[in-house]
């Protein structure tokens, strides 16, 4: 990678150990990926916020980084933490876990990272413009930013996103470049997708089957459906999709796949491990919009339902009364919170990503179905 004088100075440690370390990470990444140079980024979004996912080693690393005095150069938002930062006691989160989580939040604050604690920064907190280069971790946010907003980001890790935030730059490769943003296969549907659940099931199937950038002809997802689609595609490693109204030049030559009822049902079967009663309904992967929270409430669930969202979205709901079984829970999600340590064994979800990770990361049994079915 070609480095400017200034970048070389940072790498030599002239600007402090924290920045040197960040630059070392970015140069190593850029060299592996074949980047030619650095490009400035307008914002960053870091993952690796929950104590459940980063543990003591992650906390120590953040503390060390923060003690170097380095702070982010661009607006930087954070992914969900392991608990509701204000109401963790009421939800029954373990004290020891909470202490570690709060220490992580202090380290991020010292680094200048906002405690937005949401995986949908693109809805309110951090909305990039079309064409802007950004450095985001959190796979669903990466897909949404690239595909719906037209911003440009690779799927960063928590560490590389934080390093880019501290330096204010990212290596120029992958989805920052025009030539890597073209569709590589096209998808048609033999079934009408309706609602986030159907989009998530389709996205899961496509992400498991194919690699690259899908182009969807004639699909017009709502923001809620687009985030469900993107999050599920990302489980299989997809970082961008394209929506098109009509067949564009070259698209006819691409490999094609078709998604019908059989594929949607297959995704459901693959993700479902529980068919009986569940302990808790968990909605909000990715974090719910205010509209989704109200829709969940209107269905009057008969068992306790946690609606995961950002504090900014919760504020938009204001004092709106929700059904007595619906609890808004902020700053965290069903995957990165320690539900399995809180006496919960089986949950109901309407998100393919939540179903996949709650089973594989947390060992929970999962009923995966449209929300309307879950409440019955
Ligand atoms: Fe967000 Fe957690 Fe799902 S971070 S995308 S709600 S796994």
């Amino acid at each position: 990678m070609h480095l400017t004088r200034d970048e070389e100075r940072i790498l030599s440690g002239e600007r402090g150990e924290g920045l040197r370390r960040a630059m070392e990470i970015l140069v190593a990444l850029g060299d592996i990926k074949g980047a030619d140079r650095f490009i400035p980024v307008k914002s960053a979004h870091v993952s690796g916020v929950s104590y459940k996912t980063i543990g003591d080693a992650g906390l120590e690393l953040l503390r060390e980084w923060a003690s170097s005095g380095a702070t982010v150069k661009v607006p930087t938002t954070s992914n969900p933490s392991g608990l509701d930062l204000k109401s963790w006691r009421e939800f029954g989160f373990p004290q020891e876990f909470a202490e570690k989580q709060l220490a992580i939040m202090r380290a991020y604050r010292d680094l200048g990272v906002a405690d937005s604690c949401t995986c949908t920064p693109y809805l309110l907190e951090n909305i990039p413009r079309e064409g802007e280069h950004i450095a985001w971790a959190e796979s669903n946010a990466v897909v949404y930013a690239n595909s719906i907003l037209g911003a440009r980001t690779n799927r960063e890790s928590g560490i590389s996103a934080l390093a880019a935030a501290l330096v204010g730059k990212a290596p120029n490769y992958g989805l920052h470049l025009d030539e890597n943003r073209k569709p590589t296969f096209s998808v048609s549907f033999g079934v009408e997708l309706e609602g986030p659940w159907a989009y998530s099931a389709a996205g899961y199937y496509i992400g498991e089957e194919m690699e690259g950038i899908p182009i969807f002809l004639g699909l017009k997802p709502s923001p809620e459906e687009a985030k469900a689609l993107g999050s599920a595609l990302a489980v299989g490693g997809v970082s961008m999709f394209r929506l098109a109204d009509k067949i564009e030049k070259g698209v006819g030559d691409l490999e094609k796949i078709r998604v019908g009822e059989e594929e949607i049902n297959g995704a459901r079967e693959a993700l479902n491990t529980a068919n009986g009663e569940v302990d808790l309904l968990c909605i909000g992967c990715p974090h719910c919009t205010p509209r989704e929270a109200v829709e969940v409430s209107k269905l009057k669930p008969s068992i306790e339902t946690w609606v995961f969202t950002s504090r900014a979205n919760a504020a938009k709901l204001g004092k709106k009364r929700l059904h007595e079984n619906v609890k808004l829970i902020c700053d965290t999600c069903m995957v990165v919170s320690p539900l399995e340590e809180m006496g919960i064994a089986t949950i109901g979800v309407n998100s393919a990503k939540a179903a996949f990770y709650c089973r594989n990361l947390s060992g929970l049994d999962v009923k995966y179905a449209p929300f309307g079915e879950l409440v019955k």
Side-chain angles (χ1 to χ4, degrees), residues 95-96 100 105 122 156 165 178 193 271 303 327 347-348:
Q95 171 89 26
E96 201 184 323
K100 298 281 191 178
M105 298 320 298
Y122 48 81
E156 302 288 353
D178 285 344
L193 299 183
L271 291 165
I303 67 163
K327 290 191 181 150
I347 61 169

Side-chain angles (χ1 to χ4, degrees), residues 215-256:
I215 182 162
F216 300 109
L217 290 174
L219 208 61
K220 291 198 168 37
S222 68
E224 286 83 1
E225 290 165 339
K227 74 179 169 66
L229 173 66
S231 69
L233 283 168
V235 174
V238 171
S239 294
M240 177 175 171
F241 62 79
R242 285 272 322 278
L243 298 173
D245 288 335
K246 51 183 190 307
I247 296 187
E248 296 171 4
K249 201 171 147 214
V251 169
D253 302 332
L254 298 177
E255 193 177 345
K256 298 173 186 53

Side-chain angles (χ1 to χ4, degrees), residues 33-56:
K33 299 289 187 181
D36 56 345
R37 63 192 166 94
F38 278 108
I39 43 166
V41 292
K42 289 274 186 194
S43 76
H45 178 78
V46 297
S47 62
V49 180
S50 167
Y51 178 62
K52 174 172 164 177
T53 56
I54 68 170
D56 288 321

Side-chain angles (χ1 to χ4, degrees), residues 79-80 119 138 140 231 284-287 332-336 351 353-354 357:
N79 229 28
C119 54
E138 174 42 49
N140 102 80
S231 69
C285 173
H287 272 172
T332 186
C333 83
M334 65 292 272
V335 171
V336 298
S351 152
K353 181 175 177 182
Y357 286 109

Side-chain angles (χ1 to χ4, degrees), residues 44 46 123 128 147 200 207 270 316 329 353:
V46 297
L123 293 178
S147 315
S200 102
K316 283 214 138 193
I329 174 164
K353 181 175 177 182

Side-chain angles (χ1 to χ4, degrees), residues 1 24-35 171 173:
M1 256 180 105
E24 191 177 63
I25 291 166
L26 295 174
V27 169
L29 180 65
D31 282 340
I32 291 168
K33 299 289 187 181
Y173 73 93

Side-chain angles (χ1 to χ4, degrees), residues 34 70 98 102 122 166 188 211 256 264 270:
L102 296 175
Y122 48 81
L166 293 168
S188 63
E211 275 176 15
K256 298 173 186 53
I264 301 277

